[in-house]
Amino acid sequence: MKRLIKNGILVDSDGQYAQDLLIENGIICQRAANIEPGADCEIIDASGCYVMPGGIDVHTHFNIDVGIARSCDDFFTGTRAAACGGTTTIIDHMGFGPAGCNLHHQLHLYHQYAAGNAVIDYGFHGVIQHINDGILDEMAGMVHDEGISSFKLYLTYHYKVSDAEVLRALWQLRRVGALTTVHPENDAAIAFRRSALVAAGKTVPIHHAQSRPLECEAEAIGRMINLARLADNAPLYIVHLSNGLGLDYLRLARQRQQPVWVETCPQYLLLNEQCYLREDGAKYILSPPLRNQQELDRLWLGIADGSIDTVATDHCSFPYHQRLALAAGDFTRCPNGLPGVENRMLLLFSHGVMSGRISPSRFVALTSGNPARLFGLWPRKGNLNLGADADVVMIDPRQSTVINHRQLHDNADYSPYEGFHCQGALVLTLCRGEIVARNGEFTGQQGYGQFLRRRSFDSQITAKMG
């Protein structure tokens, strides 16, 4: 069956076009002004709407076990929420496995989690929890045989890696054609501050933020940049940036032509540390924590001037009642993370495009074009070019939306964006030509999503990012 999207404004990372879009067998086969429908062609009227590539969220945590709890969204509920929010592809950060396990252990487990459940297309980032010769030797097969072309290192938490391990990983990942992604926080500084706060009886949510000040994050970013430089300029990607000082370090690295990229998330653009002073402040415990308004403003400047490359969500949902039960008033016992995979596209469209901070094309670059280029999905994903998968989101800028968790499709029991007014409405989401969401209602099918074997890291493709 063919589908023809007519009368809309097509937007990609390079510009806007008054064109129609013809889809056949899940692939974009024509884009031009005034395409005439043929036989057996469904017409979708996009009058007044932007027609954009479906979103690519490169930072989710579905079904993750963090030791004290398991996130409440699996690969069905999580991808269902993503689809209803205009996202057609996710790349999930796999959680830690048993002590001493190899790289393939978690990959096999996550294939079991996702297969037959995901409603949109998906991939995985490898997770590195220790380094030895066997792990290093395993990396090439993960990239070239399994399609896992990015790996995550943590500088904090139980399976944090040392600087020596970081260097070995960076060298080898560069050699096998993979992108190193990093959770950057100074573990020793956090432990020192946390112990002092707990000893003083300071354990309410605001003290979570005080235990992880922005300097802990920024120091680790600067350290990773220098280690990547020492590893023969290994490509580096910083996840969930929350502060302007870290962004300044990244700008300095780029001035000396270092291959570094950075992601931020809606929570670091729209929520600030005052949330921790609310009666329900435990809802907002995540790491790195929410910052003050000045840091939000600095990140918005990075969004506007091109210093920030992607906007993902770090969706990691734990119900509020579970947070309260586990924490019992002590932030150190509260599982970290926020829901938000369904809200990313509309929040950035409203507060970015409709506020005049960014253009529609910059929106596409942040939400799909750049993620596709960085993570081995281009040219199949992230664009509306001929031959690309027909992953499409339609947004009507004339309508408005109020976020209400009762209308969302994740498995959490709250939204951190409850009551947010957004200018714009998500009208339609297509994944490989199939309508998976319409006007906020899920219309897809459990198990429709396909695993994506991603290409190895390509510096020539990333050089063309918007």
Side-chain angles (χ1 to χ4, degrees):
M1 181 183 183
K2 296 181 180 180
R3 285 192 163 103
L4 176 60
I5 302 176
K6 289 191 66 68
N7 307 319
I9 304 168
L10 267 60
V11 185
D12 61 20
S13 299
D14 297 320
Q16 301 178 209
Y17 318 90
Q19 293 181 332
D20 300 338
L21 194 71
L22 184 62
I23 298 165
E24 185 174 9
N25 297 325
I27 301 296
I28 296 171
C29 62
Q30 187 180 358
R31 49 181 285 185
N34 301 316
I35 298 175
E36 290 298 324
D40 300 322
C41 184
E42 176 187 351
I43 297 175
I44 299 172
D45 186 6
S47 297
C49 295
Y50 289 112
V51 179
M52 299 171 163
I56 301 173
D57 189 343
V58 296
H59 194 158
T60 62
H61 293 283
F62 297 149
N63 213 41
I64 189 172
D65 184 347
V66 296
I68 59 174
R70 183 180 291 275
S71 64
C72 61
D73 276 310
D74 59 19
F75 277 85
F76 172 59
T77 63
T79 58
R80 177 183 63 185
C84 292
T87 290
T88 53
T89 299
I90 60 99
I91 306 180
D92 198 79
H93 282 282
M94 298 187 288
F96 295 132
C101 71
N102 64 20
L103 297 178
H104 281 82
H105 180 280
Q106 289 302 90
L107 178 60
H108 295 325
L109 182 64
Y110 269 70
H111 274 306
Q112 295 173 29
Y113 289 160
N117 286 312
V119 308
I120 56 173
D121 293 347
Y122 61 94
F124 305 123
H125 302 280
V127 60
I128 297 172
Q129 55 194 69
H130 67 281
I131 289 292
N132 57 33
D133 289 344
I135 294 294
L136 295 173
D137 291 342
E138 201 179 354
M139 289 175 177
M142 288 283 284
V143 174
H144 301 294
D145 300 334
E146 306 289 355
I148 306 298
S149 56
S150 53
F151 294 77
K152 190 174 187 179
L153 305 174
Y154 289 83
L155 303 188
T156 188
Y157 300 137
H158 180 63
Y159 286 110
K160 64 183 181 293
V161 289
S162 68
D163 287 356
E165 291 175 312
V166 167
L167 266 174
R168 294 185 74 190
L170 284 165
W171 272 105
Q172 181 69 350
L173 290 173
R174 179 187 178 278
R175 191 182 74 82
V176 301
L179 177 62
T180 302
T181 79
V182 180
H183 175 125
E185 287 184 291
N186 186 305
D187 184 74
I190 292 168
F192 176 81
R193 292 181 65 87
R194 184 173 57 230
S195 295
L197 288 164
V198 171
K202 298 179 178 180
T203 59
V204 298
I206 188 61
H207 299 127
H208 167 72
Q210 293 172 3
S211 74
R212 311 174 93 98
L214 66 87
E215 289 81 5
C216 291
E217 181 185 5
E219 182 281 330
I221 290 172
R223 178 159 39 104
M224 281 302 308
I225 288 170
N226 287 320
L227 290 174
R229 180 82 167 190
L230 291 171
D232 199 20
N233 261 359
L236 176 67
Y237 179 93
I238 299 298
V239 305
H240 53 44
L241 179 73
S242 73
N243 74 89
L245 179 58
L247 185 58
D248 287 342
Y249 290 161
L250 289 154
R251 288 186 175 117
L252 286 172
R254 284 180 174 166
Q255 287 176 16
R256 59 179 188 175
Q257 307 302 309
Q258 196 168 337
V260 296
W261 296 271
V262 62
E263 152 200 304
T264 193
C265 308
Q267 56 266 34
Y268 301 120
L269 298 170
L270 299 171
L271 303 174
N272 63 44
E273 65 184 5
Q274 293 300 306
C275 293
Y276 295 123
L277 301 177
R278 295 172 38 159
E279 184 179 359
D280 60 352
K283 289 179 177 178
Y284 301 92
I285 290 179
L286 79 163
S287 298
L290 304 178
R291 307 298 187 188
N292 63 41
Q293 188 60 46
Q294 181 182 6
E295 300 307 318
L296 274 65
D297 294 341
R298 295 178 73 182
L299 292 184
W300 273 114
L301 289 175
I303 289 284
D305 69 15
S307 300
I308 291 173
D309 302 288
T310 68
V311 175
T313 61
D314 194 11
H315 179 102
C316 188
S317 53
F318 302 95
Y320 179 47
H321 67 83
Q322 182 186 42
R323 290 168 173 265
L324 292 177
L326 289 171
D330 182 348
F331 74 84
T332 67
R333 297 200 295 261
C334 184
N336 282 214
L338 297 185
V341 72
E342 190 165 349
N343 305 125
R344 174 184 70 126
M345 297 285 281
L346 189 56
L347 285 170
L348 187 61
F349 180 82
S350 177
H351 294 271
V353 176
M354 298 307 291
S355 72
R357 286 182 168 117
I358 58 174
S359 68
S361 290
R362 175 73 174 136
F363 171 86
V364 169
L366 289 162
T367 59
S368 61
N370 290 350
R373 291 180 185 274
L374 279 165
F375 291 99
L377 296 173
W378 190 275
R380 179 180 175 183
K381 304 285 188 182
N383 62 83
L384 299 176
N385 297 332
L386 302 188
D389 283 354
D391 295 345
V392 179
V393 61
M394 283 173 47
I395 301 178
D396 188 343
R398 301 162 299 181
Q399 299 185 47
S400 61
T401 304
V402 178
I403 295 176
N404 183 324
H405 187 262
R406 289 177 296 178
Q407 299 172 342
L408 301 181
H409 298 81
D410 59 42
N411 211 28
D413 58 359
Y414 76 99
S415 169
Y417 308 106
E418 187 75 24
F420 268 57
H421 289 253
C422 297
Q423 185 58 44
L426 295 163
V427 177
L428 205 64
T429 307
L430 293 88
C431 179
R432 283 181 283 110
E434 293 300 312
I435 298 173
V436 293
R438 188 193 299 268
N439 295 321
E441 297 296 327
F442 177 61
T443 60
Q445 182 178 353
Q446 187 172 4
Y448 175 74
Q450 296 180 351
F451 172 69
L452 301 169
R453 293 180 179 271
R454 297 183 286 122
R455 297 170 52 175
S456 59
F457 180 79
D458 188 332
S459 59
Q460 293 183 345
I461 286 180
T462 57
K464 301 175 184 177
M465 289 187 355

